[in-house]
Amino acid sequence: MGVLALIVINKAGGLIYNRTFGDGLNQLNTNDYLVLAGTFHGVHAITARLDPTKGLGHSQNHHQQASATTGGSVAIPSRPEPPSGLEVLESENFRLQCFNTLTGTKFLLFTDTLQANVDVAMRRVYDLYSDYVMKNPFYQLEMPIRCESFDRKLNSYIREVNNSR
């Protein structure tokens, strides 16, 4: 089936966009999508704080190795990787891929388990969002996405991905 659904969550955990692409899927009502968005936001925040290597000395050794030295003896510490949180969730029926932007907006792409190159599809969805939503002078950040050109381009791209399988 390919790409099944897309959900976009703002940095506060609010649902700002949802679209299903597969026929025959169980349809959720608006309240279910709001609960799903809020729950995922909370789980993502918790998993971003989990670090199984914390306290094992691994973090200190890695931090010391990542420090750069300049011409003198001054060490410049490198910037640590930001915590990523939940990125992929797989079940026997679907795969959920999460892309978290630097602004905290989360893109959740639901695909079937056999879908290849999900990260490429996710990047293209983000590019469409950047081009057609963020460059729209009438769009306000953190508000629901209501942009017809984004809907058209997204539907066209997802149809192309689903038909190429």
Side-chain angles (χ1 to χ4, degrees), residues 1-155:
M1 204 184 225
V3 176
L4 304 172
L6 171 69
I7 295 177
V8 182
I9 304 171
N10 66 16
K11 65 182 172 187
L15 177 70
I16 59 173
Y17 187 81
N18 67 295
R19 179 82 51 202
T20 57
F21 303 105
D23 295 331
L25 296 175
N26 291 336
Q27 297 299 316
L28 300 176
N29 62 34
T30 305
N31 193 44
D32 292 336
Y33 280 111
L34 292 169
V35 169
L36 178 62
T39 302
F40 185 85
H41 179 73
V43 169
H44 189 273
I46 292 169
T47 58
R49 299 203 189 291
L50 295 177
D51 185 1
T53 62
K54 191 172 187 175
L56 298 177
H58 174 72
S59 298
Q60 286 182 330
N61 292 338
H62 180 67
H63 181 66
Q64 288 172 353
Q65 291 173 353
S67 296
T69 57
T70 57
S73 61
V74 177
I76 302 171
S78 65
R79 176 178 243 155
E81 285 290 321
S84 62
L86 181 63
E87 293 179 359
V88 177
L89 176 76
E90 281 195 46
S91 76
E92 60 187 42
N93 299 322
F94 70 92
R95 175 183 177 166
L96 165 66
Q97 178 95 21
C98 175
F99 174 65
N100 192 18
T101 67
L102 293 176
T103 60
T105 303
K106 294 171 196 64
F107 290 80
L108 308 180
L109 195 63
F110 293 83
T111 64
D112 68 7
T113 56
L114 301 176
Q115 178 68 35
N117 300 323
V118 177
D119 53 337
V120 174
M122 182 67 82
R123 180 63 189 191
R124 180 68 179 135
V125 168
Y126 179 66
D127 288 344
L128 291 172
Y129 169 80
S130 299
D131 288 343
Y132 294 98
V133 176
M134 296 307 294
K135 294 178 183 176
N136 182 345
F138 301 108
Y139 177 69
Q140 296 178 5
L141 286 176
E142 307 299 315
M143 297 305 291
I145 298 170
R146 298 192 200 315
C147 182
E148 290 181 19
S149 57
F150 174 69
D151 285 337
R152 280 195 309 273
K153 295 292 185 177
L154 179 65
N155 285 333

